[in-house]
Amino acid sequence: MTPIESLHYAIGELAYAVAKADGKIQKEEKEKFQSIVAAELRSKEYSFDITDIIFQLMSRDGMDSETTYNWAMKEIRTNSHYLSPQMKETFIKVMEKIAKAFAPVAPKEQAILDKFFQEIAGINGDPVYYNQK
């Protein structure tokens, strides 16, 4: 996986962690989740289909939210050189939409979001890397 693909995979994992935080993900949640992520992250620049990745994530039911969150944030930090301001903004928007997809936002979901917003604020990419084409 390229660093950009890893960043997108990580945001899919984070969105999954939020969706899973309040219990098992229902079919309707899965469909809504897929449409949000696909709408926000689909790009012609990447050699992968984000919706396929998300389907794979949704089928893995064994990971808890905390483990998923920690793995995803580690992946974001590892590949942070490639995190452009626009990508960071998109990732924040995805997380907000996932949380609001099925109101009300549960306290566990909000805790994950708050932690994500706090951690992502301090992560800034390097223009030398994210401006490479």
Side-chain angles (χ1 to χ4, degrees):
M1 233 188 272
T2 69
I4 299 295
E5 290 170 343
S6 292
L7 286 167
H8 281 86
Y9 190 85
I11 199 63
E13 287 276 0
L14 286 168
Y16 175 80
V18 171
K20 180 115 172 118
D22 65 347
K24 187 168 173 64
I25 300 170
Q26 304 301 317
K27 181 181 176 188
E28 298 82 24
E29 288 178 301
K30 180 179 176 179
E31 290 168 0
K32 181 75 171 179
F33 175 90
Q34 180 199 11
S35 72
I36 289 169
V37 174
E40 294 296 332
L41 298 181
R42 184 170 286 141
S43 173
K44 292 180 175 76
E45 297 177 27
Y46 308 128
S47 62
F48 63 98
D49 182 357
I50 193 70
T51 56
D52 287 342
I53 293 171
I54 299 309
F55 268 122
Q56 291 173 18
L57 293 174
M58 301 308 285
S59 67
R60 289 191 328 198
D61 221 9
M63 292 183 71
D64 63 85
S65 290
E66 185 176 343
T67 302
T68 303
Y69 178 88
N70 290 334
W71 179 89
M73 288 308 298
K74 179 180 179 226
E75 202 63 27
I76 287 174
R77 285 188 290 278
T78 298
N79 296 290
S80 65
H81 286 54
Y82 295 88
L83 185 65
S84 69
Q86 296 82 8
M87 188 183 300
K88 185 175 174 178
E89 184 179 314
T90 298
F91 287 0
I92 290 168
K93 191 184 327 180
V94 166
M95 295 301 287
E96 289 171 340
K97 286 184 176 185
I98 291 295
K100 294 175 184 173
F102 287 90
V105 177
K108 288 181 180 180
E109 291 174 324
Q110 191 62 54
I112 290 172
L113 288 169
D114 293 344
K115 188 174 178 181
F116 169 73
F117 295 142
Q118 182 179 9
E119 288 189 40
I120 198 79
I123 300 174
N124 297 300
D126 185 340
V128 170
Y129 291 98
Y130 65 72
N131 283 332
Q132 291 179 357
K133 297 273 177 183

